[in-house]
Amino acid sequence: MNQNEGNIFDRMLAGGLIPFTDPEYPKIFEAVSHTINLSVALNASTNVEEIRVRLSEIIGQKIDESTTIFTPFHTNFGRHIQIGKNVFINHACTFLDLGGITIEDDVLIGPKVSIITENHPVNPNERKMLDLRAVIIKRNAWIGANATILPGLVIGENSVVAAGAVVTKDVPPNTIVAGVPAKIIKKI
């Protein structure tokens, strides 16, 4: 999609640069404010079913009953998150999803994991733009505690991201990565 086509939310999912001067940019702030309000109720939830209901409201689609999410859970937008079946998301995760986050079935996500789809250009003249790129966590992946997944990456099927890793490159299927930046340490 050309960055001049579609509404700002479609263009965000298409990826690339969104300037703060975009005439539709205020719609992002409206959506984020709405999510902040909904997040208060989400993070005050007292059981897993209530968490599913509240997060379903934020992301705009029903979360399957086989999926478990613990609070606190943080997102700035929510509408660009897709969560599969039989997913487990532990406490204190942060999903910055303006660029889109897809979590396929049977994924395990440890506590304090950050999945980031948003960045800013290094060039100071462009720094006030959003640079958006989707993240995809493929089926049966396991993301260890306090790992960070950076924009535009695919975590392959059955792969493991070790605790504390900072993932800067795609992770091939059936692979374990660890470190800062994450490097392949073993094939499964």
Side-chain angles (χ1 to χ4, degrees), residues 163-174:
V166 176
V167 183
T168 61
K169 295 179 181 175
D170 287 347
V171 176
N174 303 302

Side-chain angles (χ1 to χ4, degrees), residues 21-32:
T21 57
D22 186 295
E24 292 191 309
Y25 203 90
K27 291 180 180 181
I28 297 173
F29 285 113
E30 289 172 20
V32 168

Side-chain angles (χ1 to χ4, degrees), residues 31 51 99 172 186:
I51 292 167
K186 184 177 181 180

Side-chain angles (χ1 to χ4, degrees), residues 26-63:
K27 291 180 180 181
I28 297 173
F29 285 113
E30 289 172 20
V32 168
S33 292
H34 181 69
T35 299
I36 289 169
N37 287 330
L38 294 175
S39 293
V40 173
L42 167 68
N43 288 312
S45 297
T46 58
N47 62 64
V48 172
E49 177 57 32
E50 186 180 358
I51 292 167
R52 270 195 297 273
V53 168
R54 299 284 186 201
L55 189 55
S56 292
E57 185 178 2
I58 290 171
I59 70 172
Q61 59 184 297
K62 186 177 186 310
I63 295 173

